[in-house]
Amino acid sequence: MRIVFYLLSIVVANVVTAAFAPLQFGMFIVPMGTLFVGATFIFRDLVQNKYGRKKTYIFIFTALVLSAIVSFLLGDTLMIVAASAISFILAETADTEIYTRLKLPIAWRVFYSGLVGGLLDSAVFVIVGLSPLGAGMLPWEAVPAAIIGQIIVKTVIQMIGAIILSQVHGTKSNSFA
């Protein structure tokens, strides 16, 4: 089920981003799919916890291909698909490697690895895909707000996931082992 949730969260993030206008709160711009992107890091960590690092890279590659296909089918430009793929592979790799190396309880590993993954995903996607360097959907003045808005949302999702995992892991010692 972990693998299904991981892959499904990526597909849902793409579909929701394409189907709904971005949220704007104050100066921050956040695509609706960002809520699900934050969850992908949690699900990826749970996949890695069960199947190990090497097999997780197979699932990351599968998710990358699935995400690119879905983005293309939804009509995203080639630049957006490429930016999504680049940010995805960088963020998921960073998340995997940080999660692997931290010697902390699962909730903290999920939080810290997802925090870095979310930061990379947000910065790379906005700069490569949305800025004037990419598809030109955002002017340079809006780029920092777009990056920070996504980071805030992804961090909140990571915190919620870490809290849930600490509660579940604290009461069921073998639940995620």
Side-chain angles (χ1 to χ4, degrees):
M1 281 311 276
R2 296 166 196 228
I3 297 166
V4 171
F5 285 139
Y6 174 59
L7 296 175
L8 191 59
S9 65
I10 292 162
V11 170
V12 169
N14 284 332
V15 171
V16 169
T17 297
F20 297 98
L23 289 173
Q24 190 156 2
F25 54 101
M27 62 187 253
F28 302 114
I29 304 162
V30 181
M32 292 292 289
T34 302
L35 299 166
F36 297 97
V37 173
T40 65
F41 296 113
I42 297 166
F43 292 134
R44 198 225 45 81
D45 290 338
L46 295 176
V47 167
Q48 181 177 349
N49 207 47
K50 181 165 182 154
Y51 297 101
R53 182 173 156 257
K54 288 182 183 177
K55 285 186 181 175
T56 297
Y57 276 108
I58 294 168
F59 301 125
I60 289 171
F61 179 74
T62 303
L64 175 67
V65 171
L66 185 62
S67 177
I69 291 169
V70 169
S71 288
F72 180 75
L73 291 174
L74 290 169
D76 288 338
T77 66
L78 185 56
M79 193 55 153
I80 296 296
V81 174
S84 178
I86 293 166
S87 64
F88 181 84
I89 200 71
L90 289 173
E92 294 291 325
T93 299
D95 187 294
T96 301
E97 295 305 317
I98 291 168
Y99 183 87
T100 299
R101 286 165 177 72
L102 289 176
K103 304 300 178 209
L104 298 170
I106 187 171
W108 287 109
R109 290 166 56 197
V110 165
F111 179 71
Y112 289 133
S113 65
L115 191 65
V116 174
L119 187 134
L120 281 171
D121 185 63
S122 301
V124 172
F125 180 73
V126 171
I127 292 169
V128 175
L130 302 178
S131 78
L133 284 178
M137 295 176 160
L138 293 175
W140 283 117
E141 308 81 59
V143 167
I147 293 170
I148 292 168
Q150 287 189 40
I151 290 170
I152 290 168
V153 170
K154 291 172 188 172
T155 300
V156 168
I157 299 296
Q158 291 303 128
M159 285 190 316
I160 292 168
I163 290 167
I164 292 169
L165 283 173
S166 71
Q167 294 298 314
V168 170
H169 191 64
T171 58
K172 294 181 180 178
S173 61
N174 291 328
S175 172
F176 293 102

